[in-house]
Amino acid sequence: MDPEVTVVLGATAARALLGPEFRVTRHRGEPVPRREGAYYVATIHPSAILRAPDRDEAYSGFLADLKVAAGLP
């Protein structure tokens, strides 16, 4: 089964799937077309939340990215 939405967790996965020029810090939470009706949505790796200076802000951003992914067709 081919998923309609793939959540890409972290920079390493993003570079592997979206190319070496892709930057999670610039494009997190933005749907990236994968094929007709299917998307990638990149976000930070969950472990980055634990290392963030402001964990609440990092977690809120992570949840916002997941909500974008959940709202796609």
Side-chain angles (χ1 to χ4, degrees):
M1 185 172 183
D2 191 22
E4 292 177 5
V5 178
T6 301
V7 177
V8 181
L9 299 174
T12 301
R15 282 192 300 272
L17 293 171
L18 301 169
E21 301 303 315
F22 188 87
R23 297 290 179 257
V24 172
T25 53
R26 288 190 210 133
H27 300 290
R28 64 182 286 187
E30 295 177 9
V32 177
R34 186 170 63 82
R35 64 161 172 76
E36 181 78 27
Y39 300 90
Y40 290 119
V41 177
T43 187
I44 60 172
H45 192 279
S47 67
I49 297 166
L50 300 175
R51 297 186 310 270
D54 186 341
R55 288 183 182 172
D56 290 335
E57 181 181 335
Y59 185 65
S60 293
F62 178 72
L63 288 180
D65 296 341
L66 295 180
K67 288 177 183 178
V68 168
L72 291 169

